[in-house]
Structure formats: C-alpha cells, structure tokens
Amino acid sequence: MELGATVRAVKSRRVLLGDVIQPAVIYVRDGKIQSVRPGSALSEDEDSCEVWDVGDRVVMPGLVDSHVHVNEPGRTSWEGFWTATRAAAAGGVTTIVDMPLNSIPPTTTLGNLDEKMCVAEGQCFVDTAFWGGVIPGNQLELRPMVLAGVAGFKCFLIHSGVDEFPHVVDADLHAAMQQLQGTGTVLLFHAEKEVPEAIEESGDPCEYSTFLRSRKDVMEVEAIRTVTQLCLQYRVRCHIVHLSSAEPLALIRGARAAGAPLTVETTHHYLTLSSEDIPPGATQFKCCPPIRSQANQEQLWAALKAGDIDMVVSDHSPCTPDLKNLDTGDFSQAWGGISSLQFGLSLFWTSASGRGFQLSDATRLLSRNTAQLCCLDDRKGSLAPGYDADLVIWDPEREFVVCYSPELLQTLPGY
C-alpha cells in the first residue's frame, strides 16, 4: 500500500468489533465507516474497491489522546502541531486534544482560542480538538469558548509551571462552576495542592527521592477532596487528570457513590515507570505529580481493572533538552514533563497484556472513554457505521526497544 493511496476497504483476520476479535472487512466512504462486514468475504463490487488486506494485523478504533501539550504558538521550539500530530499518527493516535498551556498565549480567552486554531490549520496529521483554560478572572470567557467548540476546560490547584497560566483558588473555582452549570461541559483539574504536611524536605537535589518527598501523596489527596466537594455541590462534570497516587482512590469511590459526575485518568508513565528505578540525576523522569513506587503502580493497575480509573493518556509534555538540566541532574530545577505521545499504545499493551487485560480494554481505556470525556463519542472510539474511519492497524506481538541516550540528545539542535 503506497503512502497517500485511496483505501475503500480494510480487511483483516483480527478486527475488534465490540469486545470480540474476528475476521471482518471495513468499508470506508468520505472519511466515514460505511459498513462493517464480519468474515473474510468481500462485497460483490470489490473489483472497483481499493482493498487493503492487512492479514493478521489487529484493526482497532484509533486512539483518542485527550491530554497532549502541543505548545504552539509561543513555544514551538518545545513542540508544534506539525511534529506532535505526526508523532500521534505514528503511535496509532488519530485524535489529540490539546491542553490550554504551555502555548503563549494560553487558551483562556475566545481570542486566544482563535489564534491557536489559526496556527494549527494546515499542520495537523490527525484530528485535533482543544481544551480551554480556567484562570483567575476569566469566568466570563468560558461560555463563549463552549459555544466555539472547546472540549472543556482545565485548571490548576497549584502553580502550573508557567506564569501565564496561574492557578486558581476557591473563589475562582466557584465563579467558574457557576458559569459552567447547565452547559454540559467538563472541568479538568490538575489535582495537587500545597498543604502544610508537604513542606519540602532538604536533601540532594540530584536524588530522585528528594524530589519525590517534595510532592507527597497528601497533595493529591487534599486537592481531590476539594474536587469531589465542588463536583457534588454544583453537579458539573469534573475530571481528575494524571492521577499518580493511589491514596485518593477511596475519596473518588465515595464521591461517585454519592452521585458525583467524576472521571479519572492516569498516564502511561505512571503505569510503566517506578521511583525505585530512577537513577540519580536522571531528570528526564521528572513530571508532576511524580512517578511513585512500584507498590503504588500496582494499585493503579488494580484501580484500572476495577473501573476506579476510567482512561489512560500520555500527558505528552515536551520541552527543549536544555530545560531538563541533564548537565547538572538537578531535579528541583528541571522542567517537569515526559514526551511519550507515539509510544502510548505499545507501553500500555506491554504491561496490560501480562495483567489479564484484553484488546477490548485497550480500546475502552485509550479510545472510547477518552472520546466520551471530550463529547466525541458519537464519532470516535468505535468501528461502526457512521463513525469516523479512524483506524489503528498494528501487530500486538511485535517487540521493539525504545532507547534513550543523553549523548544523542546533546547532538540535537537547540541543546
């Protein structure tokens, strides 16, 4: 199959239809799934149809990654739409939803949203949607952005890492919630909060354990306590981004039992990496909230299995190599963010397949539920007639090695 060739049908012996893997042919017209025919037989008009027979490769709905920092405009040297969406396509991600930071300007006004959409036009290799942002004083911008089509909004309960996107306090949250009531939209929370118990302890800044002690579990617990209270009070859909600690899970379960419209995500790096394996000075592993222990990671996997965590995303947050301070190895000064957009499906399946998860779980956690969060589930996340013909075709048995080399990094432009 030539790159850019027209495909009218995709045939495979392993197509995920609902929760079942079976032979099928998917017929496509004008970017939509026209029909799905179980079995290997083609329709009578197959001679006029460009059929791509992929053999035993698995065909699934394309992934919807609802947590991606593209950073354009303003910080395009960190990442722009041209490269981010190519990385997404390489990893089977057919839709991304761009976060309102770390671009300059941030997506906190209707004008800033228009500017970002203009910059993205003509640069995207996959479908792209946008989150708006909630910051102090912008509550009257929220409804216009809803009408303009944002997927929802994100706020921080702690310093965001960039000054142009300040975190909110209680008064800001109540003002935003009042504006969002009745809109059907969702408010996403970076759920960490400064608390007296989490005062930073002294220690070697090049040791990961020092950084980990500065972002204790209690910071997530207390932030999520605030989120659950707001969610129950206003009955506005709320979503906790990048849950790293298992300690707040009881709070989450309790709020849901009380009727809170609350969803939760975790990330590939929390499910793959553990604090015990991070060597001194390896600042490429820094993110916020932090990567925690292996025991904590197993609790996150158990929560995924139990349905307490609804989805898995990348939280793709790149920067220029110099911001990682690899030369000093100082975790306290390094940028917090991990870039993994194109590896999400492979990372997830590598760990999940050995824990009893099925391919249908991968679609549910990486596509269907993320699409639902963004109100795209009427067109994304399923191989059904009328849905977008966004397909990921891959070999779940094939293995490859992702090699990180600081020496190679130093040869890159801008280092």
Side-chain angles (χ1 to χ4, degrees):
M1 179 63 63
E2 295 288 334
L3 183 65
T6 300
V7 177
R8 301 300 183 194
V10 176
K11 176 183 177 182
S12 173
R13 287 186 286 273
R14 292 196 291 177
V15 179
L16 181 63
L17 300 179
D19 292 336
V20 179
I21 294 284
Q22 60 182 292
V25 183
I26 301 170
Y27 293 90
V28 176
R29 175 177 291 178
D30 299 327
K32 296 283 188 179
I33 295 174
Q34 181 183 17
S35 63
V36 179
R37 185 186 297 272
S40 57
L42 295 170
S43 62
E44 294 179 357
D45 61 347
E46 64 177 278
D47 290 339
S48 62
C49 180
E50 294 88 349
V51 179
W52 188 12
D53 188 341
V54 300
D56 281 325
R57 291 183 179 88
V58 169
V59 180
M60 294 174 16
L63 274 58
V64 178
D65 193 333
S66 56
H67 195 146
V68 178
H69 294 269
V70 175
N71 308 321
E72 188 175 11
R75 289 192 175 98
T76 312
S77 60
W78 295 18
E79 180 85 283
F81 288 101
W82 182 264
T83 55
T85 56
R86 289 177 70 190
V93 177
T94 54
T95 302
I96 65 167
V97 191
D98 174 55
M99 283 291 168
L101 72 165
N102 302 302
S103 58
I104 301 174
T107 318
T108 51
T109 69
L110 185 59
N112 292 354
L113 172 65
D114 289 341
E115 182 176 347
K116 179 172 280 191
M117 292 175 68
C118 287
V119 168
E121 188 173 1
Q123 293 204 75
C124 296
F125 289 80
V126 300
D127 288 346
T128 303
F130 302 93
W131 296 112
V134 170
I135 61 173
N138 82 325
Q139 64 269 20
L140 296 183
E141 293 281 351
L142 305 184
R143 283 180 176 260
M145 282 195 280
V146 170
L147 294 174
V150 294
F153 298 90
K154 183 184 183 181
C155 67
F156 277 71
L157 303 184
I158 196 171
H159 193 282
S160 70
V162 291
D163 292 338
E164 68 274 4
F165 198 97
H167 71 282
V168 292
V169 297
D170 287 350
D172 305 313
L173 288 168
H174 288 287
M177 284 291 198
Q178 289 164 12
Q179 289 294 317
L180 298 179
Q181 275 186 313
T183 63
T185 195
V186 60
L187 181 56
L188 283 57
F189 292 82
H190 179 119
E192 287 182 288
K193 203 171 187 180
E194 296 284 4
V195 293
E197 300 96 312
I199 296 174
E200 185 172 348
E201 299 181 23
S202 60
D204 183 350
C206 294
E207 291 289 338
Y208 185 76
S209 59
T210 302
F211 168 63
L212 185 57
R213 288 196 302 272
S214 75
R215 312 288 289 218
K216 293 182 177 179
D217 299 76
V218 68
M219 297 174 68
E220 290 190 73
V221 170
E222 292 309 312
I224 288 172
R225 193 184 310 279
T226 296
V227 175
T228 58
Q229 291 168 350
L230 286 166
C231 192
L232 286 167
Q233 178 180 351
Y234 289 98
R235 302 290 168 160
V236 169
R237 282 199 301 142
C238 295
H239 179 75
I240 297 164
V241 300
H242 51 47
L243 180 74
S244 83
S245 172
E247 289 191 11
L249 287 168
L251 271 174
I252 292 165
R253 285 191 293 267
R256 285 171 158 175
L262 178 66
T263 51
V264 185
E265 72 183 39
T266 192
T267 73
H268 300 295
H269 41 273
Y270 299 138
L271 295 173
T272 304
L273 306 172
S274 59
S275 59
E276 293 92 338
D277 297 326
I278 299 177
T283 53
Q284 63 268 32
F285 292 93
K286 180 182 176 180
C287 58
C288 297
I291 295 163
R292 302 191 187 274
S293 69
Q294 179 67 47
N296 178 85
Q297 182 186 102
E298 291 304 324
Q299 292 181 69
L300 295 180
W301 277 108
L304 268 179
K305 180 83 74 171
D308 295 328
I309 298 175
D310 304 283
M311 60 199 76
V312 186
V313 297
S314 68
D315 186 15
H316 178 74
S317 185
C319 67
T320 52
D322 59 295
L323 294 179
K324 277 297 186 180
N325 287 335
L326 295 168
D327 53 342
T328 66
D330 187 337
F331 282 96
S332 68
Q333 299 301 312
W335 174 258
I338 291 179
S339 308
S340 62
L341 180 54
Q342 74 190 66
F343 300 120
L345 177 58
S346 299
L347 288 169
F348 178 82
W349 189 243
T350 297
S351 297
S353 58
R355 289 178 165 86
F357 286 80
Q358 305 299 314
L359 288 171
S360 57
D361 297 314
T363 288
R364 174 173 54 85
L365 294 168
L366 278 62
S367 184
R368 189 181 310 136
N369 288 358
T370 46
Q372 187 174 31
L373 173 69
C374 311
C375 294
L376 295 173
D377 53 314
D378 61 340
R379 69 198 81 170
K380 310 285 187 185
S382 180
L383 300 183
Y387 277 69
D388 290 353
D390 297 345
L391 312 179
V392 52
I393 301 169
W394 66 300
D395 182 352
E397 287 78 43
R398 184 177 178 183
E399 297 182 356
F400 64 97
V401 176
V402 179
C403 181
Y404 174 81
S405 168
E407 293 76 20
L408 178 61
L409 253 180
Q410 293 178 31
T411 69
L412 298 177
Y415 181 79

